[in-house]
Amino acid sequence: MGDIHGAYYALQQCLMRAGFSYEKDKLIVLGDIVDRHDEVYECVEELLKIRHLITVRGNHDDWFDEYCHTGRHPANWEYGGLATVRSYLGQGGHKRPVLPGGYALTYILNPEKIPQNHRDLFSRMEPYYIDDQGRCFVHAGFNRFAPFTGQHPSIYYWDRELWLSALEWQMSSRSNPDQKPFETSTKFKEVYLGHTSTTQWKITIPMKAANIYNLDTGAGHTGRLSIMDVDTKEFWQ
């Protein structure tokens, strides 16, 4: 599943339309559960119901996790974080407050008000996940010219060059049949990522370039949330 960004109803729709089994199926979330929309609390509650859940850390999740541990948000909540604040202030059915003055008032959320099982979920997120078929799941990307493991964690959360270079390769290969294969230092059967929304190309369905699939279809903005069966490549939104 691509970047959720607090879109609870979209999350519910994806799971329902995919016929997802909360007991039998495995869900790999590609990061950025928080920010943009104000149903983050509900999204985490729903994800915690899934027995086989794997959460890959996104840059927004990393910011939120640091806030949970320190009470300090590294980006000062400036990238959609106000919605996360409103969500946790309104948890449990309380009315979500209006916060005049924008981000200056987000200090009114205390980390202790965030349920422990929610904080635990963000704390145990992994920088990436590799399955037994050699498929790599990462939020943003990685340096394809260096060994995959051991790169600085921020690269896995922030890198856009992997996707952009694969997209450039894909476009060039259409006009050049002798194009060299797209290569990475560490070989993967497939790579699944988010972070760079497909809406930048006016597309709201998953995109593929080389062996890389981009599942961030803009749920945090004006696009959609996508979930894909990585065995069949069927997807639902």
Side-chain angles (χ1 to χ4, degrees), residues 3 26-27 32 36-37 40 49 57 65 89 95 110-111 124 134 205-206 221:
D3 304 33
K26 178 188 293 183
L27 181 65
D32 282 2
R36 307 292 186 200
H37 300 294
V40 172
K49 298 175 185 177
R57 185 179 296 269
D65 184 43
L89 288 175
K95 185 178 180 180
N110 188 318
R124 64 174 177 261
I205 62 174
H221 299 283

Side-chain angles (χ1 to χ4, degrees), residues 11-206:
L11 170 62
Q12 285 185 310
Q13 288 174 349
C14 279
L15 294 171
M16 177 187 68
R17 292 172 181 177
F20 184 85
S21 170
Y22 284 58
E23 288 294 319
K24 297 179 181 178
D25 290 331
K26 178 188 293 183
L27 181 65
I28 303 168
V29 177
L30 291 170
D32 282 2
I33 296 171
V34 302
D35 299 344
R36 307 292 186 200
H37 300 294
D38 64 0
E39 297 93 24
V40 172
Y41 172 84
E42 290 85 352
C43 286
V44 176
E45 285 287 292
E46 195 71 21
L47 292 172
L48 288 171
K49 298 175 185 177
I50 296 172
R51 183 174 182 181
H52 305 291
L53 175 69
I54 294 171
T55 50
V56 172
R57 185 179 296 269
N59 56 302
H60 286 262
D61 306 314
D62 195 49
W63 287 334
F64 186 64
D65 184 43
E66 183 165 339
Y67 172 77
C68 290
H69 281 91
T70 68
R72 174 186 169 274
H73 192 282
N76 295 318
W77 304 98
E78 290 186 357
Y79 302 97
L82 185 59
T84 299
V85 173
R86 294 182 70 245
S87 179
Y88 277 102
L89 288 175
Q91 64 181 280
H94 299 293
K95 185 178 180 180
R96 286 173 170 78
V98 176
L99 300 178
Y103 294 94
L105 292 182
T106 58
Y107 64 85
I108 64 175
L109 176 64
N110 188 318
E112 294 180 358
K113 298 294 185 181
I114 299 168
Q116 186 64 52
N117 59 344
H118 287 221
R119 285 183 277 166
D120 290 343
L121 181 143
F122 288 96
S123 181
R124 64 174 177 261
M125 283 179 160
E126 299 290 345
Y128 55 82
Y129 173 70
I130 301 173
D131 71 7
D132 56 8
Q133 295 189 40
R135 296 179 291 207
C136 174
F137 303 83
V138 64
H139 176 63
F142 53 86
N143 181 352
R144 68 188 181 105
F145 301 108
F148 177 79
T149 57
Q151 296 187 23
H152 193 279
S154 64
I155 295 177
Y156 303 123
Y157 315 150
W158 282 99
D159 177 83
R160 298 186 196 274
E161 288 303 312
L162 177 70
W163 169 248
L164 295 177
S165 60
L167 201 59
E168 182 179 1
W169 175 91
Q170 188 82 7
M171 295 174 65
S172 297
S173 66
R174 292 172 183 169
S175 57
N176 181 9
D178 297 323
Q179 179 93 336
K180 294 181 179 179
F182 185 80
E183 295 185 348
T184 58
S185 178
T186 301
K187 308 298 182 185
F188 293 111
K189 178 180 178 181
E190 294 162 347
V191 177
Y192 294 83
L193 48 72
H195 188 57
T196 305
S197 175
T198 63
T199 57
Q200 294 186 36
W201 295 273
K202 302 186 185 305
I203 294 171
T204 57
I205 62 174

